[in-house]
Amino acid sequence: MRVTLSALCLLATIAAAASSMAADAGGNYAIWGPGGRSCNQYQRSVEDVAARASFRHFLMGYLTAYNALAPKTYNALGDMSLGQALAWLDDYCAAHQLDSFDRALAQMLIDRHPSRTQAGDTPAASWGRPQRPSGSPPHSVR
């Protein structure tokens, strides 16, 4: 389970960073899962609880991966809640029906970037872990 979550986070991060780290010379990259679906499909998912949940889960994995790998970012959404993020996506997708859900997420992160919570703006410890000494690596591999 832990390996699967890590793999999903890595894939979401790669998708999030694709605009700056293009996979090919044209800036194209593979999108996995609901990220490749259109904004129109995201909007229609409001009628289908399972489909909407898949978009919500993709969003959470995408954000987790982005938070883990983006420089100086603890929380890309800042003080925006998950519900507010979904409402932002509803508004964006209403105006950009042909965009992919991945593109909508990237636009949201661009929009939220100045308001993100940066590393160092957070409490000393998170999830029961003590604060790491300055200069030490952020994660240990087990």
Side-chain angles (χ1 to χ4, degrees):
M1 177 71 175
R2 186 175 241 174
V3 172
T4 302
L5 181 56
S6 297
L8 287 173
C9 288
L10 179 60
L11 288 174
T13 299
I14 291 167
S19 61
S20 63
M21 298 179 356
D24 69 9
N28 300 305
Y29 56 95
I31 301 171
W32 296 80
R37 296 185 190 144
S38 70
C39 269
N40 182 293
Q41 289 172 305
Y42 168 70
Q43 285 192 293
R44 289 191 334 231
S45 75
V46 76
E47 304 287 328
D48 181 346
V49 174
R52 184 60 109 167
S54 72
F55 283 103
R56 188 179 73 248
H57 291 140
F58 185 85
L59 169 62
M60 291 187 295
Y62 192 101
L63 291 171
T64 299
Y66 188 88
N67 291 340
L69 298 174
K72 298 181 183 176
T73 301
Y74 176 79
N75 181 357
L77 294 181
D79 63 356
M80 180 185 265
S81 70
L82 181 62
Q84 290 169 323
L86 290 166
W88 189 100
L89 290 164
D90 286 333
D91 291 343
Y92 179 90
C93 284
H96 303 91
Q97 299 244 339
L98 298 179
D99 278 2
S100 68
F101 189 65
D102 173 76
R103 179 172 285 187
L105 294 176
Q107 287 303 127
M108 182 175 64
L109 290 175
I110 290 167
D111 184 63
R112 296 297 304 165
H113 185 76
S115 303
R116 76 194 186 285
T117 305
Q118 296 187 41
D121 293 345
T122 60
S126 179
W127 292 98
R129 289 179 283 192
Q131 185 175 12
R132 61 186 173 86
S134 179
S136 66
H139 303 288
S140 61
V141 178
R142 295 180 186 189

